[in-house]
Amino acid sequence: MDNTIYQSMKAAVRLLENQNTISNNLANISTNGFKEAFNLIIKDKNINNLYKTQTQKYYNFSEGILTNTQRKLDLVVKNNGWLVIKDNNGKEAYTKNGHLQINAKGKITIQNCNVVGLKGDIKIPNNANIKIMSDGTIKTIQEKEKNIFEKEIGSLKLVHFKKNDLIQKNNGLFYFKNNILNKNIKIPHDKTIRIQSEILEASNVNPTKNMVDMISNARQFEMNMKMISMYDQNEEHANQLFNVNN
């Protein structure tokens, strides 16, 4: 009976983990470039032919819906590429959110984090008319006496990963797994990555599927709680009978 309670508790914990993941997906439906996460239950057989169950998180890296914004600071990264930013702790992180902003210091940011360029942070001159090229190069455009003058002021750092090399943290940003393991590996710029400006990639979260999964998880969790309560009551009754017989 104790083993049954133990297994029910383990199942309930996994359902809570899954519910947190689903809740985070639903909370980020409107976050540009957000990638849907999901949990898979993995069963491993050991040398004693016993199964060990663990939960492993995976990500749906499929492209979200693309929207033409006609805003010069919006972009989508193609060829499975990623934009590079510095998080609030100064660590290199990666995102598909191409909604660029310019802060009070003239630096390009995403979600209040500085965007990393090939030569460091990128600063935009005041009131500059800019253009972002397909290779990530950023240029200012000036018109003088009917002539167009372009000047390069920086270039976005664009990187590429294998899908299993990335892990998402609570801030919604992705990180290189090996750097999470206290390593400091610098990911090089990938010249093959291309971007397209004036377009944004939406979140790829399927709200209907996640809502159905959330309801299903809640019902399964409730069922496990009832099973634990029932076994606990049965054990209490058994103890009472044992005491009476003695």
Side-chain angles (χ1 to χ4, degrees):
M1 187 175 294
D2 289 340
N3 183 60
T4 302
I5 294 177
Y6 173 72
Q7 294 300 329
S8 295
M9 282 299 299
K10 284 181 63 178
V13 169
R14 287 196 295 267
L15 289 167
L16 282 176
E17 291 175 352
N18 202 33
Q19 200 78 326
N20 288 335
T21 299
I22 295 170
S23 298
N24 190 53
N25 287 339
L26 291 172
N28 285 280
I29 287 177
S30 60
T31 302
N32 296 315
F34 182 83
K35 298 304 175 186
E36 182 181 41
F38 56 96
N39 294 331
L40 285 181
I41 298 175
I42 309 297
K43 287 186 176 181
D44 295 322
K45 185 186 289 186
N46 60 24
I47 56 175
N48 297 320
N49 289 326
L50 297 175
Y51 285 99
K52 181 181 180 182
T53 304
Q54 61 178 342
T55 302
Q56 191 163 342
K57 183 173 286 188
Y58 290 87
Y59 306 98
N60 174 13
F61 287 110
S62 64
E63 190 174 66
I65 296 174
L66 302 182
T67 304
N68 190 340
T69 66
Q70 297 184 345
R71 179 177 177 268
K72 293 182 179 179
L73 285 173
D74 287 338
L75 58 87
V76 60
V77 189
K78 298 182 174 181
N79 310 105
N80 296 319
W82 295 80
L83 290 163
V84 185
I85 64 177
K86 285 184 180 177
D87 67 12
N88 295 329
N89 296 317
K91 289 188 176 182
E92 198 170 271
Y94 313 99
T95 181
K96 285 283 192 177
N97 185 353
H99 187 60
L100 309 183
Q101 302 280 353
I102 301 176
N103 66 14
K105 297 180 180 179
K107 293 183 178 181
I108 295 182
T109 65
I110 295 175
Q111 297 175 218
N112 297 319
C113 297
N114 288 344
V115 174
V116 176
L118 291 182
K119 296 181 180 180
D121 297 338
I122 303 170
K123 190 171 183 180
I124 305 298
N126 290 333
N127 302 317
N129 181 21
I130 69 169
K131 177 171 67 173
I132 304 178
M133 312 301 291
S134 63
D135 62 353
T137 301
I138 301 176
K139 296 181 178 181
T140 58
I141 303 173
Q142 287 185 319
E143 184 176 352
K144 292 182 180 179
E145 299 177 355
K146 297 183 180 180
N147 293 318
I148 303 296
F149 296 91
E150 295 185 356
K151 179 182 178 182
E152 182 177 334
I153 58 173
S155 187
L156 299 170
K157 183 179 179 180
L158 305 171
V159 295
H160 175 268
F161 297 95
K162 294 179 181 178
K163 293 180 179 179
N164 293 333
D165 287 343
L166 292 172
I167 186 170
Q168 189 180 44
K169 296 182 72 174
N170 291 334
N171 58 10
L173 301 174
F174 282 87
Y175 293 80
F176 187 44
K177 279 185 180 178
N178 287 346
N179 285 340
I180 296 294
L181 301 174
N182 295 323
K183 296 182 180 180
N184 190 21
I185 301 173
K186 293 294 183 182
I187 308 301
H189 172 72
D190 191 329
K191 295 181 179 179
T192 66
I193 303 299
R194 291 292 178 264
I195 64 103
Q196 186 172 352
S197 59
E198 301 186 19
I199 292 179
L200 274 181
E201 178 187 350
S203 164
N204 67 356
V205 174
N206 184 329
T208 303
K209 175 183 177 298
N210 278 267
M211 283 298 297
V212 171
D213 289 344
M214 176 173 278
I215 294 170
S216 175
N217 269 269
R219 288 176 176 171
Q220 291 182 59
F221 181 81
E222 184 180 355
M223 181 182 67
N224 277 278
M225 291 297 99
K226 285 183 178 179
M227 289 179 63
I228 292 172
S229 177
M230 181 184 68
Y231 285 123
D232 188 49
Q233 291 175 9
N234 288 342
E235 186 173 3
E236 184 179 347
H237 292 157
N239 288 334
Q240 289 175 356
L241 290 173
F242 179 76
N243 291 333
V244 169
N245 293 331
N246 287 333

